[in-house]
Amino acid sequence: MQVDLLAGTGHRPLAIPRPQPTILVFDSGLGGLTVLGRATRACPGSNIVYAADDAGFPYGRLSEDELVARVLAVIERLVARFHPDLVVIACNTASTLVLPTLRARFAIPFVGTVPAIKPAAAATRSGLISVLATPGTVARDYTRGLIEAYAANHQVTLVGATRLAGLAEQALKGAPVDDAVLAAEIAPCFVEVAGRRTDVVTLSCTHYPLLLDRMKRLAPWPVEWIDPAPAIARRIAELLPAAREAGLAGHDTAAVFTGGGSLTGPLRIALAGYGLAQILLEPMPLGN
């Protein structure tokens, strides 16, 4: 005898919830928080791990070979621990050099951060663009290739700021940053030629938007500042459609540091403001 246990009842297929994807946002320090904020809003259905290689910061002191080896070693450790579905390299200095190696090594997608020269070329009216970046990013052939491809008909000023990323880190940790020092760092971005002025500045280091309000106040004239974070967040959402759907159980977030010596009280408060109340350590001294 067969019994139909569903007789007389409504029936619909069992919906098995999909696991929430995990996104790893990686930077040498704290600049990637500007990307994390956008990614969190664009991908509410994801678990997000923010990884800061503070033991290796700043990356500008490393040779190109050392930088490739360092990032590969740290990412290998983080992938093994957190099993991300996608990794964001929220660092221009690393992205312009290391992305091909990472994509060849891992089967998961990588989203990089590179100077926003193409949108800057589309936005300028004066034809004068400044790329505000680290000295490492300024020196990359990749950066010059972007200029040749998208801004060959414009005058592009490459500004390798030696202290700006460190100043952003200081500010986020609660340390004072002198306006005069900050103004000197951005001053080369502002160029006047034959009655024309720079009208677009690309923020080609993820640290720099942390100081954007102050830079706007200190700028000698108004310009359009291009922050790549919104475009990065859109790309993440394209590659991980499930991440766009808010999960009923919310999502998990954590910050992991390779050193941890920079974790001041003000920084912990700032991290909590980005939803990163859980702080983890993955010790990797620079010599390792």
Side-chain angles (χ1 to χ4, degrees):
M1 177 180 178
Q2 292 182 338
V3 178
D4 185 355
L5 297 178
L6 294 177
T9 68
H11 170 66
R12 62 182 179 182
L14 177 64
I16 301 176
R18 290 177 294 181
Q20 290 180 309
T22 296
I23 299 169
L24 173 65
V25 179
F26 172 83
D27 188 20
S28 60
L30 303 172
L33 293 172
T34 61
V35 175
L36 173 82
R38 294 281 186 169
T40 300
R41 292 194 291 272
C43 303
S46 63
N47 299 317
I48 298 182
V49 176
Y50 182 79
D53 184 18
D54 59 323
F57 179 83
Y59 277 169
R61 59 180 163 155
L62 304 179
S63 70
E64 291 191 355
D65 288 344
E66 289 171 337
L67 178 57
V68 171
R70 175 65 182 181
V71 174
L72 182 59
V74 176
I75 292 295
E76 283 181 336
R77 181 84 68 87
L78 295 172
V79 167
R81 179 170 179 177
F82 297 104
H83 308 288
D85 298 280
L86 180 146
V87 178
V88 181
I89 304 299
C91 172
N92 284 262
T93 302
S95 292
T96 53
L97 186 65
V98 185
L99 280 174
T101 301
L102 294 173
R103 287 168 174 158
R105 170 66 179 81
F106 300 98
I108 55 179
F110 282 79
V111 176
T113 310
V114 299
I117 293 169
K118 183 177 180 180
T124 184
R125 295 296 176 263
S126 69
L128 273 61
I129 299 166
S130 287
V131 178
L132 183 59
T134 64
T137 298
V138 164
R140 298 280 185 265
D141 290 338
Y142 189 98
T143 302
R144 285 169 168 75
L146 291 174
I147 294 171
E148 292 172 4
Y150 301 114
N153 296 325
H154 300 301
Q155 181 173 327
V156 179
T157 300
L158 294 171
V159 179
T162 59
R163 301 179 62 184
L164 201 53
L167 294 174
E169 296 254 334
Q170 290 178 29
L172 201 61
K173 295 170 187 175
V177 174
D178 187 82
D179 275 354
V181 175
L182 185 53
E185 285 288 293
I186 68 173
C189 294
F190 295 86
V191 179
E192 294 186 82
V193 177
R196 296 179 296 134
R197 288 177 164 183
T198 301
D199 63 351
V200 179
V201 177
T202 74
L203 299 172
S204 298
C205 171
T206 52
H207 281 80
Y208 299 168
L210 294 171
L211 296 169
L212 182 55
D213 289 342
R214 293 182 65 178
M215 290 192 292
K216 286 180 177 179
R217 176 171 56 82
L218 295 169
W221 59 78
V223 296
E224 180 175 351
W225 305 82
I226 297 184
D227 176 2
I232 296 168
R234 289 193 296 271
R235 181 59 178 157
I236 297 169
E238 290 172 0
L239 292 172
L240 289 179
R244 299 197 298 260
E245 304 170 8
L248 294 178
H251 64 272
D252 294 327
T253 58
V256 56
F257 289 79
T258 59
S262 62
L263 287 169
T264 63
L267 177 55
R268 289 180 180 272
I269 293 172
L271 292 172
Y274 285 91
L276 298 170
Q278 183 182 10
I279 308 295
L280 308 171
L281 292 179
E282 185 68 37
M284 288 192 70
L286 189 57
N288 286 9

